[in-house]
Amino acid sequence: MDITKFAIPEIIFGRGSLNHVGQCALRLGAKKVFLVSDSGIEEAGWLQKLMDILKKEGIEWVYYPGVSPNPRDYQVEQGAELYLKNHADVIIAIGGGSSMDTAKGIAIIASNGGRIKDYEGANRVSRPLPPMVLITTTAGSGSDISQFCIITDVARAVKMSIITRTLVPNISIVDPLILRTKTETLIIHSAIDALAHAVEAYTSTISSPFTEMQSLKAIDLIIRNLPRAVETKSIDSLEKLSIASVAASMAFSNASLGAEHALAHSLGGYFDLRHGVVHPILLTAVMRFNLDSAESKFGNIGRVILDRDKGSAKETALAGIAQLEEFFASFNVPIKLSQVVDAKDKDRMESLCKTAVHDACNLTNPRPASWQNFLNICEEVW
Ligand SMILES: [Fe+2]
């Protein structure tokens, strides 16, 4: 086996773990925290709860509310200015992938200077970042665990993947109680994003035994618990989805992703689609495209989905993919590209597929994917 490394943050997991955030900040030397969140979290009352906890510990804060879905380069740069002007120290984000990625982008610019687009790609951040505590409010993005940060370059309408070990936060807080205030659609989209992380990390060209076991466990937990979580919002099912998301994130942060995420970033960046919307549409088509390049691994994924073998590895893989398609269709979310992209924009696909080829996630896809391959996949799922 080749030499491998596995980086994850300190993870504080469990019902009520949000209450530990003050102690976490103090341990990192916080005197004036830089808080990042969004209006949805504010409205649900979680931001106020966080502020109350900080107040109890005697910690000051400055709040940056400039977060939108698909966070923009200028939002990150404005945030860094505010961080420096206020002499803040520890960064705390509470929210989904957008809030946490905004916080990570702010951390990069505040400590390394320049523009966020200077850091696009892998390992381009040289100086250490401010300490970060990330509190996820979804079971999907994995930004609280991962060394990834996705920011939109507005001028190019491209989502940039910024990947570097220093983006792994110091502490991740995962409190499943927060998921109870989320909509059904958000729970579905987040879980299917996590499923895509697990599948792509498992079949990545740089997966390792440490990431592969996390991937398979995540797939198993999502398949067995998502329907009940959506139907009942029972805390037991939501907690299982949180465990799955953490496992999938540990896998993809260390094994990276593949062609499905490369295409998801390209389409999401141009059409300003929420990240989770794209995976029920693309994932199974990309799995079929990759199948012959990682047959036994897709067989293992099929076995987890079906809970049994169905003949050869390839037969099991194909039956697993077919069942996954039925699984996605059983939820009330779009499963065709034409449901989220206007027919008049179809002629944009060729240039978006050319962008996807250069996304850092495409580097570790088990089968080399050209823009023509991406275009065929878009046709197939249109
Ligand atoms: Fe994702």
Side-chain angles (χ1 to χ4, degrees), residues 140-141 193 197 257 261 265 275 279:
S141 81
D193 184 23
H197 296 156
L257 293 161
H261 265 77
H265 291 153
H275 180 63
H279 308 292

Side-chain angles (χ1 to χ4, degrees), residues 6-76:
F6 189 77
I8 55 169
E10 176 181 343
I11 301 166
I12 302 182
F13 185 99
R15 303 173 197 184
S17 55
L18 175 60
N19 294 319
H20 292 262
V21 65
Q23 284 300 317
C24 290
L26 286 177
R27 273 204 281 133
L28 295 171
K31 294 208 165 49
K32 193 179 207 179
V33 158
F34 192 79
L35 270 183
V36 182
S37 191
D38 63 66
S39 54
I41 298 300
E42 268 184 74
E43 280 158 28
W46 295 112
L47 184 70
Q48 191 54 53
K49 182 166 166 72
L50 172 53
M51 288 171 168
D52 292 344
I53 295 168
L54 294 178
K55 198 170 171 188
K56 220 167 107 191
E57 299 290 351
I59 304 168
E60 283 182 58
W61 66 84
V62 50
Y63 175 48
Y64 180 64
V67 176
S68 65
N70 297 324
R72 324 295 207 237
D73 44 11
Y74 64 86
Q75 293 168 328
V76 161

Side-chain angles (χ1 to χ4, degrees), residues 1 4-6 201 206-213 254-255 297:
M1 188 183 131
T4 189
K5 62 175 182 175
F6 189 77
I206 58 166
S207 71
S208 79
F210 306 101
T211 63
E212 288 166 3
M213 62 174 120
N254 289 283
K297 280 190 168 177

Side-chain angles (χ1 to χ4, degrees), residues 38 41 94-98 100 135-144 173-176 178-179 182 186-187 189-191 193-194 238 241-242 245-246 249 274:
D38 63 66
I41 298 300
I94 180 164
S98 301
M100 296 189 285
I135 306 154
T136 185
T137 59
T138 67
S141 81
S143 184
D144 54 308
I173 296 180
V174 186
D175 186 341
I178 299 177
L179 295 182
K182 295 289 159 183
L186 194 101
I187 291 169
H189 279 147
S190 302
D193 184 23
L238 293 170
L241 291 183
S242 288
S245 172
V246 170
S249 309
R274 279 179 178 267

